[in-house]
Amino acid sequence: MTRRRDPWLRPGRHSVVTGGSSGLGLEISRQLVARGVSVTLLARDESRLAAAAESLRARAASGTEVGTLSVDIGDADGVVGALGTLAGTHPFELLVNSAGIMREGYFETLPATAFTEVMDINFHGTVKVIRAALPHLPHPGGRIVTIASIAGLTGVFGYTPYCAAKHALVGFTDALRFELEPQGLEIHLICPGEFDSPLVAALDATRTPENRAHTLTIPKVDVAQIATQTLDAVDSGREQVIPGRIPALMSAGRRLFPATGRMIGRRKIAAVYRGPRTSRRP
Ligand SMILES: NC(=O)c1ccc[n+]([C@@H]2O[C@H](COP(=O)([O-])OP(=O)(O)OC[C@H]3O[C@@H](n4cnc5c(N)ncnc54)[C@H](OP(=O)(O)O)[C@@H]3O)[C@@H](O)[C@H]2O)c1
């Protein structure tokens, strides 16, 4: 649902961006800073955080601050402590949840830890951050963004852990929206298709050919466009965005004609099918 209203993002506001040191989180942070919104980047690796913050500060107008928090979103106490301390000195009104990891492979050969790791970070980690941030967001007026994926709306070859976690995140976000709305808080769900980032560069080194063929049924969208559409959703109050015109149209097509969507996917997969490395077939 889109409502007409004044842009919500404006100089003087402060945001926290998980995964802000890389990829989409970094690009969203860049665009927030360009709009005069102060940003605190949250991720684990301190040197990547410092480099990202430095690159943003170089472009920030005076009065726009860039800070960092080195926290593992899997550590509930660490997240509660870090966000509580931050809110005491730098109250924030926007939380963007972009932190995420990837494990891809044939279900039969993926280690069991792939499922626990991906669920722990992409789903439980995001829930932990939202739970910790909620008491500090203004009621009414606070805004939350969850970065899910098209893989949270449909199945993708090789993504059994990732799809499970992103589907959970989509359901969580849709349910939480009903609870936050009466308190004057908004939550925006962003479901991008594949885009170039360090996560995808690492994935490319090991991914199955079936995953590559199936994923790229939907063309890649530039990360800058995804970030712009994310921030436009915050400004306009849009609840859910599938960034890019073609991915949005293709997703709508899949919802309306699921059998056709599955047929196209099956054909793409069949053209390159290699199967699990250790086949258990007789
Ligand atoms: N790239 C795609 O094609 C694509 C498509 C759809 C959706 N997405 C989603 O978009 C989001 C961003 O992806 P990306 O491609 O931009 O990934 P990326 O470049 O790998 O960035 C991931 C960020 O998350 C942080 N992070 C990972 N684990 C963390 C943890 N346990 N605690 C705190 N921070 C953590 C990383 O920093 P540290 O490692 O230093 O902690 C990094 O800043 C993810 O949620 C991903 O699932 C990506």
Side-chain angles (χ1 to χ4, degrees), residues 21-22 24 44-45 48 72-73 98 148 162 166 195 197:
S21 63
S22 177
L24 180 56
R44 292 166 302 180
D45 187 305
R48 275 215 297 177
D72 185 334
I73 64 167
S98 187
Y162 189 73
K166 292 296 187 180
F195 56 87
S197 75

Side-chain angles (χ1 to χ4, degrees), residues 10-49:
R10 55 176 181 268
R13 292 210 186 275
H14 176 209
S15 57
V16 174
V17 181
T18 77
S21 63
S22 177
L24 180 56
L26 178 55
E27 181 58 30
I28 288 173
S29 302
R30 222 175 254 136
Q31 295 192 18
L32 283 167
V33 166
R35 295 183 192 209
V37 176
S38 294
V39 180
T40 297
L41 312 173
L42 187 156
R44 292 166 302 180
D45 187 305
E46 288 186 22
S47 58
R48 275 215 297 177
L49 276 169

Side-chain angles (χ1 to χ4, degrees), residues 24 27-28 31 98 145-153 170 188-195 218-234 238-252 255:
L24 180 56
E27 181 58 30
I28 288 173
Q31 295 192 18
S98 187
V145 171
T146 50
I147 305 293
S149 170
I150 284 184
L153 305 171
V170 168
H188 309 277
L189 174 67
I190 313 298
C191 295
E194 187 164 313
F195 56 87
I218 294 183
K220 285 188 184 181
V221 173
D222 188 72
V223 69
Q225 185 184 338
I226 297 170
T228 302
Q229 286 192 246
T230 300
L231 297 187
D232 288 350
V234 174
R238 209 161 156 200
E239 290 175 0
Q240 181 173 326
V241 178
I242 296 168
R245 213 166 62 86
I246 295 175
L249 280 172
M250 290 180 77
S251 255
R255 266 198 314 281

Side-chain angles (χ1 to χ4, degrees), residues 208-220:
T208 62
E210 297 92 335
N211 172 264
R212 185 191 300 270
H214 196 195
T215 306
L216 295 181
T217 310
I218 294 183
K220 285 188 184 181

Side-chain angles (χ1 to χ4, degrees), residues 111-243:
T113 50
F115 287 85
T116 47
E117 287 166 358
V118 170
M119 286 302 290
D120 279 353
I121 301 308
N122 293 6
F123 177 62
H124 294 296
T126 302
V127 172
K128 283 171 188 160
V129 175
I130 293 175
R131 194 184 276 283
L134 213 40
H136 306 296
L137 287 168
H139 298 53
R143 299 283 185 273
I144 301 172
V145 171
T146 50
I147 305 293
S149 170
I150 284 184
L153 305 171
T154 188
V156 180
F157 194 108
Y159 279 173
T160 46
Y162 189 73
C163 279
K166 292 296 187 180
H167 273 70
L169 198 53
V170 168
F172 165 78
T173 303
D174 279 343
L176 185 62
R177 182 176 296 115
F178 284 111
E179 299 194 29
L180 296 185
E181 242 167 21
Q183 305 179 55
L185 288 132
E186 290 184 7
I187 186 161
H188 309 277
L189 174 67
I190 313 298
C191 295
E194 187 164 313
F195 56 87
D196 286 325
S197 75
L199 179 148
V200 166
L203 170 67
D204 275 339
T206 59
R207 77 200 301 184
T208 62
E210 297 92 335
N211 172 264
R212 185 191 300 270
H214 196 195
T215 306
L216 295 181
T217 310
I218 294 183
K220 285 188 184 181
V221 173
D222 188 72
V223 69
Q225 185 184 338
I226 297 170
T228 302
Q229 286 192 246
T230 300
L231 297 187
D232 288 350
V234 174
D235 266 343
S236 67
R238 209 161 156 200
E239 290 175 0
Q240 181 173 326
V241 178
I242 296 168

Side-chain angles (χ1 to χ4, degrees), residues 106 157 206-210 269-270 272-277:
Y106 303 115
F157 194 108
T206 59
R207 77 200 301 184
T208 62
E210 297 92 335
I269 292 162
V272 296
Y273 188 73
R274 211 177 52 192
R277 275 157 286 196

